[in-house]
Amino acid sequence: MENISVIILFLFVLFTLLGSGVWVGLALMGVAWVGMELFTTRPVGDVMITTIWSSSSSWTLTALPMFIWMGEILYRTRLSEDMFKGLSPWMAPLPGGLVHTNIVGCTVFAAVSGSSAATLTTVGKMSIPELRKRNYPERMIIGTLTGAATLGLMIPPSLTLIVYGVTINESITKLFFAGILPGLVLAVMFMGYVAIYSKVGKDWNPNDEGKLTFAEKVRNSRFLLPVILLITVVIGSMYLGYATATEAAAFGVIGSLLLAAGQGSLNWKTFTESLMGATRTSAMIALILAGAAFLSLSMGFTGLPRGLADLIAGWDLTRFELLMVLLVFYVVLGCFLDGISSVVLTMAVVEPMIRDAGIDLIWFGIFIVVVVEMAQITPPIGFNLFVMQGMTNHEMSYIARAAIPMFLIMVLMVFVLIWFPELATWLPENLRQSPGG
């Protein structure tokens, strides 16, 4: 009963602060401050400063701003235009036609950007006008792009996986590789849905594409070479053990600057804009992480995480039942908080449960990412819905309805992960580690 009272107190303070417009990071610190004042006699200011410093001085975290900057640079290049030119000749003959460029384009860009919003904006700014021009159903254009952009959270480099890895002190490189196969399987499932819809959808009547010869397709594929080379350098350097995640992020930034310069889209304006964009995003995430670290410490003093873990252990749930409870919990939480906040806010409580249940923490990281992906497209706070609304001026309810099939496919993906855990664990287990880890 005492645990329930503490939870209600923490939630009341948190939602009061969030409802009054306080930034998420500062709201987490506010809740932690209240918890420290009520449940300990330690000097709160000293504890807060020490905790924030120790959580912010992690060397692993340096990968975060680097990967964000890499995505920001590429966002300001002609990458989306080149990707459409390179992909469309190969996608057109498939059942579902050029709608597949949404999914494959998001999968490719996700491999050089850890943000679903950046993925959505970059791919969407080129594909939406082109698909509309060819008379593809609007609902499919919007739904597939909104859903497939969430692949930016799973396919490395993923900002959510970096945050999760830092929070539970797990290898970022292993988490990155755990996300590759599930990300590709999810992309194939999205493409399967498009293929089926193209056969049964009553509103499917796109214009016919002109046939290209194989030689012309190959010639158009040259537009994909720079981004494929960049992906190979970033992911390959980690897989072969030449670079840690942080070093690979540095290679990615240099590569994206060279790519932007080669395209002629790198000038002082785009350079400073990308730098400031990356700084703003990194500072926001760092503040959330600092607030969450202080809140985790505060909750530790109350005994809440251990108490809740013991309570749930007393329910004698099977692993599957525990995962279903967490699935519903994170989907509901995702309706009100962004993905990174959801992860850092809950890990102090959830991690002991997962360890006690004997669930692999690398596998659970991918489980969390899939569920957080769902949160990106669920109203009222689904971030991708806001980005898509800004790009298309559609009603939020229309975009959310268009994305429902993608949401259901992600739910199916959770069960695929449970049935075939090797999807997430095989690559990390066979990873060639560098001396730096």
Side-chain angles (χ1 to χ4, degrees), residues 164 170 306 309 312-313 317-320 322-323 326 350-365 418 421 425 429:
Y164 173 81
E170 190 55 81
R306 190 73 258 168
I312 290 176
L317 298 175
T318 64
R319 276 192 206 180
F320 181 76
L322 175 61
L323 290 171
L326 290 173
V350 170
E351 188 184 349
M353 299 181 203
I354 297 305
R355 288 188 187 276
D356 288 350
I359 295 171
D360 186 281
L361 285 171
I362 297 280
W363 178 91
F364 187 71
I418 293 170
T425 57
E429 285 170 1

Side-chain angles (χ1 to χ4, degrees), residues 195-210:
I196 293 167
Y197 189 91
S198 71
K199 300 299 182 187
V200 300
K202 293 184 175 62
D203 57 346
W204 190 272
N205 189 30
N207 303 334
D208 280 338
E209 289 288 312

Side-chain angles (χ1 to χ4, degrees), residues 87-99:
L87 291 172
S88 55
W90 300 102
M91 299 297 110
L94 298 177
L98 292 183
V99 174

Side-chain angles (χ1 to χ4, degrees), residues 103 139-148 150 186 189-194 196-197 374 377-378 385 397-413:
I103 298 162
R139 187 180 288 263
M140 283 298 287
I141 298 172
I142 301 300
T144 53
L145 185 56
T146 307
T150 62
L186 186 54
M189 288 164 73
F190 287 155
M191 291 177 75
Y193 161 69
V194 171
I196 293 167
Y197 189 91
M374 298 180 203
I377 56 175
T378 50
L385 303 181
S397 56
Y398 177 88
I399 300 169
R401 284 198 305 274
I404 285 173
M406 313 304 272
F407 176 87
L408 296 175
I409 291 169
M410 289 180 206
V411 174
L412 178 60
M413 183 66 204

Side-chain angles (χ1 to χ4, degrees), residues 54-304:
S54 59
S55 69
S56 307
S57 59
S58 161
W59 171 247
T60 314
L61 263 182
T62 51
L64 192 70
M66 301 291 274
F67 279 127
I68 294 170
W69 189 20
M70 176 173 143
E72 287 279 346
I73 295 164
L74 295 174
Y75 168 62
R76 288 165 173 81
T77 64
R78 295 195 315 275
L79 185 66
S80 60
E81 190 178 330
D82 285 354
M83 276 202 305
F84 195 89
K85 285 178 188 170
L87 291 172
S88 55
W90 300 102
M91 299 297 110
L94 298 177
L98 292 183
V99 174
H100 290 301
T101 57
N102 270 350
I103 298 162
V104 179
C106 286
T107 306
V108 171
F109 191 75
V112 287
S113 168
S115 159
S116 69
T119 303
L120 174 57
T121 313
T122 305
V123 177
K125 69 181 179 183
M126 188 60 196
S127 72
I128 291 174
E130 292 291 338
L131 294 175
R132 281 176 173 168
K133 196 168 27 175
R134 290 163 171 81
N135 199 34
Y136 282 94
E138 182 73 4
R139 187 180 288 263
M140 283 298 287
I141 298 172
I142 301 300
T144 53
L145 185 56
T146 307
T150 62
L151 291 166
L153 299 180
M154 183 183 289
I155 294 175
S158 159
L159 304 187
T160 310
L161 284 176
I162 293 174
V163 169
Y164 173 81
V166 169
T167 307
I168 65 157
N169 197 26
E170 190 55 81
S171 163
I172 305 296
T173 306
K174 284 190 174 183
L175 283 165
F176 276 1
F177 282 95
I180 292 176
L181 289 179
L184 295 176
V185 169
L186 186 54
V188 169
M189 288 164 73
F190 287 155
M191 291 177 75
Y193 161 69
V194 171
I196 293 167
Y197 189 91
S198 71
K199 300 299 182 187
V200 300
K202 293 184 175 62
D203 57 346
W204 190 272
N205 189 30
N207 303 334
D208 280 338
E209 289 288 312
K211 295 278 189 268
L212 291 177
T213 65
F214 182 77
E216 287 172 322
K217 289 180 181 178
V218 171
R219 196 157 50 247
N220 275 8
S221 297
R222 73 184 186 279
F223 293 110
L224 292 174
L225 287 177
V227 71
I228 289 171
L229 185 62
L230 186 58
I231 293 168
T232 305
V233 168
V234 173
I235 306 296
S237 63
M238 285 189 286
Y239 183 74
L240 294 173
Y242 293 132
T244 62
T246 306
E247 291 159 352
F251 292 151
V253 169
I254 295 166
S256 55
L257 285 169
L258 292 173
L259 177 56
Q263 286 188 338
S265 50
L266 181 65
N267 53 45
W268 183 247
K269 183 171 180 286
T270 55
F271 179 80
T272 52
E273 280 178 355
S274 68
L275 200 52
M276 289 308 297
T279 303
R280 280 191 293 270
T281 306
S282 304
M284 177 194 74
I285 294 173
L287 187 61
I288 291 172
L289 282 170
F294 186 30
L295 180 57
S296 296
L297 185 73
S298 174
M299 287 199 296
F301 281 116
T302 68
L304 179 62

